[in-house]
Amino acid sequence: MTTAKPKIPMNRIDVVSLVIYVVHIILNLYESPFLKHFYVLSIFFFLFCAFRKPWSELLVPTLVFFFIEGQGRVVGEYHAIFRTIFDGYILIMILRHTVKRKSISLPDHLPLFFKLMIIGHFGWYFVQLFNVASVGPLGPIFATKIYIFPIIMFFMFLENPLPKNLAFVAKKSSAVLLILILQLIVVFYQFNMGDSSLLNISPYYSRPMRGDVFAGEFFRPFGTGFVPGAMSIYFAFSIGFFYLKDLGGKFKGLIRILVSVGILAACFIMQVRVGLILSGIIIFLCALIAMNRSRLRLIGFPALIALVLSVPIFVSNLEVVQEWFPEANLTSSVIRIKSITSVEDLTAQRASVTTFVDTLWDRLSKAPLGLGPGRTGAANSSFLDVIVNDPRYDLSFSWTLDNLYISLAIDLGIGMIFYTLLIIGLPLYVLARYLNQLRRGKNHDDSVLIALICVFANLVTSWGAISIPYNPSSFFYWFWLAYAMNHLDAKNSFHSRYI
């Protein structure tokens, strides 16, 4: 006699979180100024969850909060509380985890090499508190948000693994699908209505619009982010959630396809080329894995490959999209996205290897100990006056070429080696473990490969952006890395040899 597999109901905090998200979206569609007050009320719910529940039960509330907190910054008039409230939410979870754990030691199943890299990074960061070239004592303290805090969050992810069973993954994947579908609705609504759709909610949207730079015919949808086009990155790194498992059913498969197409279309109108490329790559690779699980793979694989091969033809004839939708102003989107096909246009905006090496050597030779955390990227916004008036290391010296590793060299000097080896080495280590399992013929989990796709896609963007230290890239990088590690067998022989 067989018994039916128990179903896992959607828990109450997931339901309440999704209701909050739905109301938040509706207020966006109604362009209601009440959105600010509703957001303040929702913050209390999320903080309550952080105080009462472990991370392993808070995936959906965290993602909902993560998706809307950017808009909360704007409607909250950029008050410090609204700019840091999501960090506070994560911090509460970390502190709760640490108290319950009764220890601040490094996670047991991290390999010794990476434990040493983390200790080295934390130790070097402590040295930076006394760096005489720093922008001041507050610089390194503020920058702990980007260089220290995410790693501790990673520890929490590792030690509170999400359940692996299919029913759990199905529920969470469905929740993420709903989050993305509603976000797509907001993006397309804003594109259709223009900048007034946001200015009616809060006049403070004029600040990220920079006057006329991102307004009028140059308007780009914000979604529920705090800068135009930001949601493209949220989309890209959320795609993995609904490809984690073959959840069955033609209807769910059709929804997955439609949402994937919707994400690409949304990235197109938001004009964020990195987001579009990342989303396209992640969707393609995840679709290959999903197709390998499908009974229709003999038909699906050729169709998918043919679709990919047709992309250059479609991009080169992108003007036809404007003809299909004559009422929409797609001219800027067409021009910007078509530049993807121009190698000259893309390389002109990214550092060549020679330029990178020369700049890296210049920064390390002139400031081998670094200039202290908080000198580059968004972290330097509070210290621009100090940097501009620095007689030796002026603002031009802090220019990073939009490259993470140049940024690390300026901030941390030779101590960048610890952080660099950590963020590059850990994904390679996890990939090696995964491939070792395949070589030994052990059962492998496609979820690991999906997570690694998101991690490596995130890592690649570090060449053309200072992405990994900052949200949303930071959160998704450490989340997917921990997810992949937790889904590998901690007792396999390859792992045991390196801890």
Side-chain angles (χ1 to χ4, degrees):
M1 181 176 178
T2 60
T3 58
K5 294 181 180 180
K7 293 184 178 181
I8 298 180
M10 187 81 74
N11 63 47
R12 284 178 292 181
I13 59 173
D14 284 2
V15 172
V16 175
S17 300
L18 292 173
V19 169
I20 287 174
Y21 187 70
V22 170
V23 174
H24 192 95
I25 296 300
I26 291 173
L27 291 174
N28 268 275
L29 299 179
Y30 274 96
E31 303 175 13
S32 173
F34 180 71
L35 181 65
K36 173 182 178 179
H37 307 290
F38 179 76
Y39 176 71
V40 171
L41 292 175
S42 67
I43 286 174
F44 289 103
F45 168 76
F46 293 120
L47 295 181
F48 171 80
C49 292
F51 276 113
R52 295 297 300 272
K53 299 292 183 179
W55 154 250
S56 57
E57 298 180 32
L58 292 178
L59 175 62
V60 173
T62 301
L63 288 175
V64 168
F65 195 13
F66 192 38
F67 266 74
I68 66 175
E69 67 89 19
Q71 186 168 42
R73 301 185 200 185
V74 183
V75 299
E77 301 173 9
Y78 293 96
H79 190 280
I81 291 177
F82 292 98
R83 286 188 283 111
T84 59
I85 191 63
F86 183 76
D87 298 318
Y89 166 80
I90 297 291
L91 180 61
I92 292 170
M93 285 197 291
I94 291 174
L95 292 175
R96 186 182 186 278
H97 165 70
T98 303
V99 170
K100 188 174 181 180
R101 188 175 184 260
K102 299 178 181 179
S103 172
I104 56 173
S105 60
L106 298 176
D108 294 334
H109 56 288
L110 268 179
L112 177 60
F113 173 79
F114 296 110
K115 288 182 179 179
L116 293 176
M117 291 302 100
I118 292 171
I119 293 172
H121 174 63
F122 285 4
W124 184 258
Y125 200 91
F126 178 77
V127 171
Q128 292 298 319
L129 295 174
F130 308 97
N131 191 330
V132 295
S134 173
V135 292
L138 292 179
I141 294 174
F142 287 178
T144 56
K145 174 182 175 179
I146 62 173
Y147 285 129
I148 302 296
F149 185 78
I151 297 176
I152 300 175
M153 178 180 67
F154 171 61
F155 298 163
M156 181 185 71
F157 291 161
L158 280 179
E159 296 182 331
N160 286 273
L162 301 175
K164 300 179 183 179
N165 64 76
L166 181 60
F168 176 88
V169 175
K171 293 294 183 183
K172 305 308 177 185
S173 296
S174 297
V176 175
L177 265 176
L178 176 61
I179 291 172
L180 295 181
I181 289 171
L182 293 176
Q183 189 66 220
L184 287 171
I185 292 173
V186 170
V187 168
F188 287 114
Y189 174 82
Q190 291 176 357
F191 177 73
N192 183 58
M193 301 304 294
D195 52 25
S196 63
S197 62
L198 292 172
L199 293 172
N200 289 338
I201 294 174
S202 172
Y204 278 84
Y205 269 104
S206 60
R207 178 174 167 180
M209 288 180 188
R210 302 180 194 174
D212 295 330
V213 176
F214 295 114
E217 62 178 314
F218 303 108
F219 173 73
R220 301 183 191 178
F222 282 62
T224 56
F226 66 97
V227 292
M231 297 315 299
S232 62
I233 303 300
Y234 289 78
F235 284 143
F237 295 130
S238 298
I239 290 167
F241 283 107
F242 54 93
Y243 279 98
L244 284 175
K245 296 286 185 181
D246 184 5
L247 304 179
K250 295 180 180 179
F251 181 68
K252 289 184 178 179
L254 178 61
I255 291 178
R256 187 161 59 187
I257 293 171
L258 293 176
V259 171
S260 297
V261 173
I263 287 174
L264 294 176
C267 291
F268 168 67
I269 64 174
M270 286 188 287
Q271 303 179 41
V272 180
R273 291 174 297 186
V274 171
L276 179 60
I277 294 172
L278 275 179
S279 296
I281 291 173
I282 293 174
I283 287 172
F284 171 68
L285 294 176
C286 290
L288 282 178
I289 295 171
M291 196 63 66
N292 189 52
R293 298 192 298 249
S294 172
R295 290 174 296 179
L296 302 175
R297 54 181 174 270
L298 292 179
I299 300 174
F301 275 129
L304 188 61
I305 297 300
L307 184 63
V308 171
L309 292 177
S310 67
V311 168
I313 300 174
F314 176 75
V315 173
S316 62
N317 294 278
L318 207 53
E319 292 86 353
V320 72
V321 177
Q322 181 66 73
E323 298 176 9
W324 293 343
F325 304 98
E327 300 299 322
N329 180 19
L330 296 170
T331 304
S332 297
S333 298
V334 170
I335 293 173
R336 185 164 177 81
I337 301 305
K338 281 199 70 172
S339 65
I340 291 175
T341 60
S342 173
V343 177
E344 293 80 6
D345 287 349
L346 286 178
T347 56
Q349 299 178 47
R350 297 292 180 261
S352 65
V353 174
T354 302
T355 302
F356 168 79
V357 172
D358 291 343
T359 305
L360 183 67
W361 173 251
D362 176 74
R363 301 304 190 263
L364 290 177
S365 60
K366 292 179 179 178
L369 300 181
L371 302 182
R375 192 84 181 202
T376 63
N380 72 8
S381 59
S382 300
F383 311 102
L384 287 178
D385 290 342
V386 177
I387 298 173
V388 170
N389 295 316
D390 190 324
R392 186 174 181 185
Y393 304 108
D394 59 9
L395 192 60
S396 63
F397 191 86
S398 296
W399 173 235
T400 64
L401 306 179
D402 283 332
N403 184 287
L404 171 62
Y405 308 105
I406 300 297
S407 174
L408 294 175
I410 295 170
D411 279 2
L412 304 175
I414 57 176
M416 68 176 286
I417 189 66
F418 300 114
Y419 186 86
T420 303
L421 289 177
L422 182 66
I423 63 171
I424 295 177
L426 264 176
L428 292 174
Y429 159 77
V430 177
L431 178 61
R433 283 186 57 198
Y434 178 79
L435 294 176
N436 184 67
Q437 285 194 358
L438 290 182
R439 182 178 63 84
R440 292 173 176 270
K442 295 184 178 181
N443 291 330
H444 65 278
D445 189 347
D446 285 343
S447 297
V448 177
L449 197 53
I450 297 291
L452 284 176
I453 287 170
C454 296
V455 170
F456 279 106
N458 204 333
L459 191 59
V460 167
T461 63
S462 65
W463 186 262
I466 312 174
S467 55
I468 291 176
Y470 296 94
N471 280 330
S473 295
S474 177
F475 176 86
F476 283 120
Y477 176 86
W478 296 109
F479 167 79
W480 284 119
L481 184 57
Y483 191 90
M485 294 182 71
N486 284 332
H487 274 66
L488 286 172
D489 180 10
K491 296 181 180 180
N492 75 69
S493 58
F494 180 90
H495 178 70
S496 301
R497 291 201 303 269
Y498 290 92
I499 60 174

